[in-house]
Amino acid sequence: MKTDALLESQRVRADIRAGRYTGSSRGMAHGFVQCNLAIMPKAYAFDFMLYCQRNQRACPVLEVLEAGDPVPRRLAPTADLRTDCARYTIFVDGERQGDRTDISDLWRDDLVSFLIGSGITFDDAFERAGVPTDRDRWVLRTNQPTEPAGPFKGDLFVTMRWLTPQQAIVATQVSARFPFNHGAPIHIGDPAGIGADIDNPIFGGPVGPMPKDKTALFWACGVTPQSAAEAAKLPLFIVHAAAHSFITDLRAESLMTP
């Protein structure tokens, strides 16, 4: 764990911690696993873990920290989850508060942190395989229900990408090798087939007419567990802000299946 490439992940986190970088994690520390972050009181952690276990395509948990511990010792032992995401979103009793770049003053001994695999992780593999990742990508709500656990329930969210048929084949083959980062697409073709709401995208801007030479592919999305936790109206719930994922020291290739 002392290669220059690994030091890049640490360098990016150091820049974030020092406030020198506050932008999106997309395109940063290519080749390293990025994670969705969810932090909540311990009283809700078991039910949330159960929710993730029941909905693994959308919620592939990579690490769960001990209550009160902000250091992800398995994925990034020099990191601090209180400072090392470029932006955090805070919910109190289900109501969104102002975003922050540091949550140290909100930290409590009963907070449990979950790191959940993100599809941003395989962007580097996509680009090396000739699949573009810088455009034609949205996050959408579907009408497909997830399996509930305790107070956690809600609809499945997906990431939609428009790709040419050849790119779609390659993207399916590549992403299938990342089962801990949502894996292969869950649907290809008509958004109506999964009730995807293309009129009201969560992220990505308005969805215009799809070019005739492209098709839509849909991957399970880490917004799913965030939405379920937000809807549960927890007294305190902290997540990374959209597109500001936590960057780990784990090489993406280490999670690839043969």
Side-chain angles (χ1 to χ4, degrees), residues 195-206:
D197 185 0
I198 62 173
D199 294 327
N200 300 285
I202 307 302
F203 307 116

Side-chain angles (χ1 to χ4, degrees), residues 56-177:
Q56 292 186 40
R57 291 294 295 276
C59 318
V61 174
L62 293 178
E63 185 170 2
V64 183
L65 280 62
E66 295 286 349
D69 189 357
V71 179
R73 303 178 190 280
R74 177 173 180 268
L75 297 182
T78 64
D80 188 328
L81 293 180
R82 298 170 296 188
T83 58
D84 292 2
C85 282
R87 187 167 297 277
Y88 302 83
T89 297
I90 317 299
F91 295 90
V92 175
D93 296 326
E95 296 296 325
R96 182 169 179 167
Q97 313 297 304
D99 285 0
R100 294 173 174 236
T101 57
D102 187 316
I103 58 169
S104 297
D105 64 324
L106 296 177
W107 197 255
R108 304 182 335 206
D109 289 342
D110 70 327
L111 293 180
V112 175
S113 301
F114 291 80
L115 289 171
I116 299 170
S118 168
I120 294 176
T121 295
F122 49 63
D123 277 2
D124 181 58
F126 273 9
E127 290 175 5
R128 286 188 282 108
V131 177
T133 64
D134 61 341
R135 58 186 180 277
D136 295 339
R137 175 164 64 182
W138 299 266
V139 173
L140 309 173
R141 182 191 291 270
T142 77
N143 65 6
Q144 306 297 299
T146 56
E147 186 173 352
F152 302 103
K153 60 184 179 181
D155 295 329
L156 173 69
F157 285 74
V158 294
T159 299
M160 178 179 73
R161 302 178 190 240
W162 287 351
L163 300 171
T164 67
Q166 182 59 40
Q167 291 168 348
I169 293 170
V170 174
T172 298
Q173 293 172 333
V174 170
S175 60
R177 299 182 63 191

Side-chain angles (χ1 to χ4, degrees), residues 2 19 28 41 100 108 152 166-167 178 188 191 212 220 223:
K2 293 185 179 181
M28 304 299 291
R100 294 173 174 236
R108 304 182 335 206
F152 302 103
Q166 182 59 40
Q167 291 168 348
F178 288 89
I188 299 176
K212 293 182 179 179
V223 173

